[in-house]
Every structure is written in C-alpha cells, then in structure tokens.
Amino acid sequence: MMWLFLFSGLIAHTGKSVSASCQLQMNPPSVVVRYGDSFSVNCSSLSNQTFGMGWESTDSGTGLRKGVSSITLDIDAVKKWMIEPQCYSTLSDDTQCLTNLPVTVYKTPDSVSLSQLSEMGPMVEGRMYRMQCDIAEVAPAKNLSVYWYKGNEISFTDAFSEPSASPVNKSSFYNVIPKSGDNGTQIWCEAKLNFLPQGSRKQSKPYEVIVLYPPIFDKPANETVVVSAGEKILLNCAAKGNPLPKYSWHLPKPIQQMHKNRNDNQLILTQSLQFPGNYTCTVSNTHGTKVKYFTVTEAPRNRTTFIAMVGGFVFLGVLGAIIGLFFLTPEGTFSLNKGSYLRGQATSSGPV
C-alpha cells in the first residue's frame, strides 16, 4: 500500500517515527467527486510547533513545504477510480503526523432499463413473474440502490455488495404476483447512488401491467328484493373482469315484459308482483365463472285500506236497514208518514 511506502520514506528521512496522535484537520474532511472532475482540499496543522507540511497523492502531490501550517491539494481532473491523498506534517522535534483523505470517485449509470418485457405479455392473477432492471456502467456499485415502483409507490429496494471501484453493469430482480387491482398500473425501476441528491436518480421507462383475472361482482352478496304492486324491479349483476365477462340469466318462468341492457348485466321487470321467485345471474370469462342469486318477494299488503273498505260497506248496510225499518211502506215505497198509513184508505188530515 502507498501509505506504507510513505511511512517508510518519512522514517528514513527523519529517523523519527510517525506520531500516533496526529493533529491535522482537513476541510472538507472527505470528498465525493465525479470521474474527470476537479476538487480542492485544505489541510491544517493544529500544532504550534509545525516545521513544514505536504501532500502525497497518486495523481499529484506538493512535496514538503517548510514554514507553513496549512497546505492545499488541488486536483484538476480525477483520472483514477481509487485515489488516497495523504496530508503530512513535520514538527520542530522531527515528529511526523499523517492522515488520509477519504475520496469517493463516482459515475452515474449510462442507462437504466427493464429487460425481457417481450417475453412476459399479459399477467395472470396470482402467478409469479420475475422482472429485471439493468443498470449500465455505474460506480461505485457498493453505493448503488435500485428502487422498484408499482403505482407510484416503492414496492421493493435492492442493494449490492460490489467490491470494484470502477464502473460495472448490475441487474436487479423483482418478483411480482399481480392482483386484479394491478391491472392498468405501471411498474418501473430507478437507480441512485446513495451519496448523491434526490435529483440524480435515473429511471427506466414504465411498463403497463395487464392482468387477466376472473369476474368480480360489484356487489358480490346474494340479494333479496322486496317489492310492492306496480313497482319496477332492477336486478343489478354488474361485474368486472379481464377479458370482459359475459352474462346469462336463469328466470323462474317465461317472462314477456322485461328489458335487458346492452351488456346484459341488469334485468328490469316492469310488473314486479307477477314475477316473484328466484333469479340466477351467471358471469364468466376465460379465467373463471361466478354466480349470483336474486330472490324477489312480494311486500305484505296494506290491511288498513281493506278494513276501512269493509267497515264502510257494513256501515252502509246498517244505515239502509234503519231507513227501511222506519220509512219503507208495505207497498215498497218510501213515506215520511209511514206510522199513520192505513192500507186501502186515506189517512185523516185532521180531527173528526
């Protein structure tokens, strides 16, 4: 290692060992730099007995400069993927101080893409599918994170333990088990070096998920419909599925007055009380069949009106009987003077 050679050189030059407690301070304390870019770092000695300072680097160095307590390393362009600049100082008693500058050299990916999509096609609900995200020429891969998105939410995060500091190609894999609700959503991957800001992320083109699934009723429970005379019945059997489902109805008896809408998911009966019974709706596509049952019953009749009508007829009958008893003559005619009427002769119109 380079620092071993530096230690050996310093010991040979001064005859003194390197101090175990170096009082050197760097600003910034670490560097993250894109390959080919420049950077600058200042190193200061905190001791008031400093004789001289210098920088050693694989790219460049300054050599020992006497009479300074601060020294700057300027790198015009980083040309290596791993560099280890070292700042050193020599004190007046020939004590040596040495510290390393942590430098991370990076390169953002050339491209991020989903692969093998042509082999997938539509997904079937409940099956597992393996998706692949390819990241081209990124460094250092040990700081790479890959985020998998489904419907604008992160579903999976991948990381790598890559020792190489130079650019490499990496692939991330994501297992998808689609549900019916995933139909029409988008999946994509996003690559990011962890030490870079949010805006440095690079995304793949999204993949729109097509999910094949059996019919699902909008209202899955069986229904009981209670109707009154003259009401219109609407039996709703709407369902969704992919491919689009087909509908069939089984009716309790031949019905003439009914209407079905275009996709057959509703049944309308216009004279409900004539059609009580059980109705069956069957919905199917190439991935399954579902059945829903409707029970149509007649609402109890309103007895109050019936009792009122019967009471009215009884009242009229009693009233007629009373009228006949007091005003009906033996000849079948009505007279207000029935009590003084004598058969065969006229009644007296006054005292005799």
Side-chain angles (χ1 to χ4, degrees), residues 20-301:
S21 58
C22 289
Q23 297 183 358
L24 297 177
Q25 187 178 61
M26 285 190 264
N27 184 28
S30 63
V31 171
V32 175
V33 58
R34 183 170 56 185
Y35 184 83
D37 285 358
S38 63
F39 71 90
S40 178
V41 178
N42 179 263
C43 181
S44 301
S45 174
L46 303 181
S47 173
N48 57 7
Q49 302 296 321
T50 303
F51 173 75
M53 297 186 67
W55 278 96
E56 290 291 338
S57 173
T58 54
D59 277 6
S60 64
T62 63
L64 179 63
R65 294 180 183 177
K66 298 178 182 180
V68 299
S69 61
S70 177
I71 192 167
T72 300
L73 174 67
D74 292 311
I75 303 295
D76 294 332
V78 177
K79 299 298 183 181
K80 295 182 180 179
W81 293 103
M82 182 176 290
I83 60 175
E84 295 179 341
Q86 295 174 318
C87 176
Y88 63 91
S89 68
T90 302
L91 304 183
S92 57
D93 61 355
D94 287 342
T95 300
Q96 300 292 325
C97 289
L98 178 69
T99 187
N100 293 338
L101 172 68
V103 177
T104 300
V105 182
Y106 74 90
K107 177 184 177 297
T108 56
D110 287 343
S111 64
V112 177
S113 59
L114 296 177
S115 61
Q116 302 178 353
L117 295 179
S118 60
E119 302 175 10
M120 298 183 65
M123 299 180 180
V124 178
E125 182 183 35
R127 295 185 186 177
M128 189 177 73
Y129 297 85
R130 189 174 177 85
M131 301 188 70
Q132 179 174 329
C133 179
D134 295 326
I135 302 96
E137 294 295 300
V138 61
K142 67 179 181 180
N143 296 109
L144 175 66
S145 292
V146 176
Y147 302 91
W148 285 88
Y149 286 81
K150 184 174 70 172
N152 294 324
E153 294 183 357
I154 297 176
S155 296
F156 176 66
T157 303
D158 203 2
F160 305 89
S161 57
E162 173 63 48
S164 175
S166 58
V168 293
N169 297 327
K170 303 300 292 186
S171 293
S172 174
F173 299 93
Y174 174 46
N175 293 328
V176 182
I177 302 178
K179 300 178 181 179
S180 60
D182 296 328
N183 188 45
T185 60
Q186 293 184 332
I187 294 178
W188 70 91
C189 61
E190 182 179 75
K192 179 183 181 298
L193 291 170
N194 298 328
F195 46 74
L196 296 182
Q198 185 80 9
S200 62
R201 295 185 177 190
K202 183 168 287 189
Q203 297 179 350
S204 70
K205 290 183 179 180
Y207 171 74
E208 184 173 349
V209 178
I210 303 300
V211 183
L212 304 177
Y213 60 96
I216 301 174
F217 288 113
D218 293 350
K219 296 180 179 180
N222 295 331
E223 297 183 22
T224 298
V225 181
V226 180
V227 294
S228 302
E231 287 187 348
K232 180 174 68 175
I233 303 176
L234 175 65
L235 305 183
N236 190 351
C237 188
K240 58 184 178 181
N242 193 17
L244 289 175
K246 295 181 179 180
Y247 298 83
S248 63
W249 289 86
H250 177 73
L251 311 179
K253 60 182 179 180
I255 298 176
Q256 300 297 327
Q257 295 182 341
M258 71 176 187
H259 168 71
K260 298 178 184 178
N261 67 358
R262 295 183 194 179
N263 56 12
D264 294 335
N265 62 5
Q266 293 180 342
L267 186 66
I268 301 175
L269 307 180
T270 57
Q271 295 182 2
S272 58
L273 292 185
Q274 297 180 15
F275 315 123
N278 297 320
Y279 296 73
T280 304
C281 175
T282 303
V283 186
S284 61
N285 64 12
T286 54
H287 291 271
T289 298
K290 298 291 179 64
V291 179
K292 182 174 181 178
Y293 299 94
F294 298 85
T295 301
V296 178
T297 61
E298 180 181 351
R301 293 184 178 180

Side-chain angles (χ1 to χ4, degrees), residues 303-319:
R303 298 297 180 182
T304 303
T305 303
F306 176 76
I307 294 174
M309 292 176 62
V310 172
F313 286 123
V314 171
F315 173 77
L316 292 175
V318 172
L319 180 61

Side-chain angles (χ1 to χ4, degrees), residues 335-351:
S335 175
L336 297 179
N337 298 317
K338 177 186 174 186
S340 60
Y341 180 84
L342 294 178
R343 186 174 180 177
Q345 63 184 40
T347 58
S348 173
S349 59

